[in-house]
Each structure stands twice: as C-alpha cells, then as structure tokens.
Amino acid sequence: MKHIVCIIILFFSWGSCAQQSEKNAIELSQLRLGVALGFGTITNPLNDGDNLPLIVIPDIAYYGERVYFDNGQLGFTLSEHNRHVFNLISEFNPENRFFVTWHPANVFIARNAFTEPANSERISISEINSPKWALDGGVNYQYIADTWRFSASALHDISNVHKGQRAALSLSKGWQTQSGLLSVRLGLDYLSHKLADYYYGIQADDQVGITFQQNAAWLPHVELSWHRQINQHFGLLAKVKYHYYGSLSDSPLFSSNQSVTVFTGVTHVF
C-alpha cells in the first residue's frame, strides 16, 4: 500500500499544466488516460526518509460542463469568463508524502546531498507517530493569457486532521520551440501554524524526549519542464523541480532544507 501512494502526486502533475487549458484540449465528458514511463526521483529531506522513485506516472483527467477531475484534484467550476476562471477544489494534502514511499504528491538522486538545516538535534521519522492523510478543500482562481498562467488557491482541512490552512500562488510561462514545449513555473506555498506543526512538529505523545512546535512557513519552488510530442499517442517528457523549505527545516525531522524532483521518460496517451 505504501508503494502505491508515491506515484500519485507527480501523477497529479505531468498531465495538467493548467486545468482549464486541459479542459479545452479534452472533449467534454471524455475520459483521458495516459502514462509516463521513465526514471526519476524526489529527494527526501527528512531524517531516514527514503528517496521517492519515479518510474510510472499515470495521467487521468475528465471534464464535464462544470465538474472535473484532473490528476488528483476534484473541482467544480463556478465561473469561467474570458481569461478568468473560479473553481471550488478538493485534494489530498501533500505534506505527508515524505512519510510514506508512495503518495499522490510523489511520483534517483542521492539522499541528503544538500545544505544542513539549522537545528542540531535529529529525530528519525521512524521514531514518531506517522501523520494521517488529510483532505483539503477550498477555492482556486486562474488567469490564463496565451502562454502565461497565474493561479491562486486557498484551502482548509475539511477532514479535520491537521485543522489548518494552506495557500498557493504560481506563475507559469510556456514557449513552443522546434524541439518541443518548454515551460517554467514559479510557486510560493503557505502553510499555517496548525498544518506545519501537525506534519513537522514533535509532539509529547511522540515520546522521543523532546517537543518542537513548528511555526507557519512560506515555501518557494521553481519547476522547469520540457515535452515533445512525437505523434498522436507518444511523446518525450523531462522535468526538474527545486523546493526550498526555509524555516520549516528547523524541525528536528529535517536533514536537508531542500528537495529536488527529477524525471525523464516517454509519455503515452491512450
């Protein structure tokens, strides 16, 4: 079971650069099924956490008149006018992806190869109680202009697990070249105190001799991807993502303040 969950979040990303752009590319009420096969990894910044291998990445999307499912995100379009789109959305919180081998946010690089965090005490993730899965729900706004897309989301824990909130801002740009589609995405995520402390704090009931309260945090990231369509069904895909954890890595659970995602492979749409 652990090994099924890690594919699911990069599974949630290769097929949907922008949900509403995908809506235009997929016939209404038609299910799109695809897969990417290749080699890659997500480096795990937590103590004794395994790197997350990326080998098979599914791509599943369906768009109705209002309701859609796009690689892990279930949404309902409230308003779509010109370049502006407003959605209600729900998705699994991605923060426990480093506590399991397979998660909907995860999809080989050496472990712990980057800068050490400030906290000198180290607690292995095997020593604490594993966090539970949480389902978040909220609102999403997108502004789509030719090759640019801006997205802003605000979500709250609707499963009453971490009882916190998170927000996400992203700006992406694509370039169609002779060698394929090149895209860059800049992102900034916000985790509230309750959310960050639930996943990365050390609680008394963990019984490891210390406690640590994690504050709210801002997490910047940048992603570069390239996709070349070979024919109607096959293509080539390469992706690199850098995620910086900043003050979040002050937690004794962290052995690095950075994580890198790398993947290269072949895509196929059925």
Side-chain angles (χ1 to χ4, degrees):
M1 180 64 181
K2 281 173 90 173
H3 293 68
I4 294 174
V5 188
C6 202
I7 278 182
I8 304 176
I9 281 183
L10 194 64
F11 139 42
F12 291 169
S13 64
W14 86 260
S16 57
C17 294
Q19 274 116 359
Q20 296 304 318
S21 296
E22 289 294 328
K23 183 176 181 179
N24 295 329
I26 302 172
E27 293 184 31
L28 286 180
S29 302
Q30 294 294 314
L31 178 66
R32 183 192 65 197
L33 294 175
V35 66
L37 301 173
F39 299 96
T41 190
I42 299 177
T43 60
N44 194 326
L46 302 185
N47 289 307
D48 297 326
D50 294 330
N51 284 339
L52 311 171
L54 309 179
I55 298 174
V56 181
I57 306 171
D59 173 32
I60 303 174
Y62 172 86
Y63 281 86
E65 290 291 341
R66 292 286 183 179
V67 176
Y68 69 86
F69 176 84
D70 198 330
N71 290 306
Q73 184 177 104
L74 180 64
F76 179 84
T77 301
L78 294 172
S79 174
E80 185 175 3
H81 181 67
N82 294 331
R83 301 181 184 272
H84 304 275
V85 183
F86 293 88
N87 300 313
L88 293 177
I89 61 174
S90 64
E91 59 190 18
F92 286 112
N93 188 290
E95 294 308 316
N96 70 331
R97 66 191 182 277
F98 292 122
F99 296 87
V100 296
T101 305
W102 301 97
H103 184 284
N106 300 327
V107 224
F108 243 126
I109 290 178
R111 276 183 55 211
N112 305 336
F114 303 106
T115 307
E116 288 290 313
N119 197 301
S120 60
E121 298 205 58
R122 297 287 181 266
I123 300 296
S124 170
I125 60 174
S126 64
E127 299 179 70
I128 65 168
N129 299 315
S130 296
K132 298 178 181 179
W133 287 67
L135 183 66
D136 298 340
V139 294
N140 166 258
Y141 164 74
Q142 295 185 45
Y143 178 79
I144 303 171
D146 300 323
T147 60
W148 290 90
R149 178 175 72 100
F150 171 76
S151 176
S153 300
L155 300 99
H156 177 75
D157 176 19
I158 59 177
S159 57
N160 203 35
V161 172
H162 58 75
K163 303 177 183 179
Q165 299 80 37
R166 61 185 172 104
L169 300 174
S170 69
L171 179 66
S172 59
K173 164 71 174 175
W175 294 269
Q176 185 65 57
T177 69
Q178 290 183 343
S179 62
L181 176 63
L182 179 68
S183 62
V184 175
R185 184 166 69 93
L186 303 176
L188 182 64
D189 298 336
Y190 169 78
L191 308 184
S192 71
H193 160 66
K194 287 185 177 181
L195 191 160
D197 188 55
Y198 177 78
Y199 286 105
Y200 302 114
I202 307 294
Q203 315 304 328
D205 60 3
D206 287 319
Q207 298 180 343
V208 292
I210 66 170
T211 59
F212 178 84
Q213 187 175 83
Q214 179 63 59
N215 295 321
W218 293 90
L219 312 176
H221 51 90
V222 59
E223 180 179 306
L224 177 66
S225 63
W226 171 82
H227 184 250
R228 179 182 177 87
Q229 198 67 33
I230 298 174
N231 54 39
Q232 183 179 357
H233 295 288
F234 288 94
L236 301 175
L237 174 69
K239 177 189 291 282
V240 178
K241 183 176 181 179
Y242 172 83
H243 207 134
Y244 179 66
Y245 287 95
S247 63
L248 204 63
S249 62
D250 290 343
S251 167
L253 295 176
F254 278 78
S255 60
S256 171
N257 60 11
Q258 306 170 66
S259 175
V260 175
T261 299
V262 177
F263 179 81
T264 181
V266 177
T267 64
H268 176 68
V269 177
F270 297 96

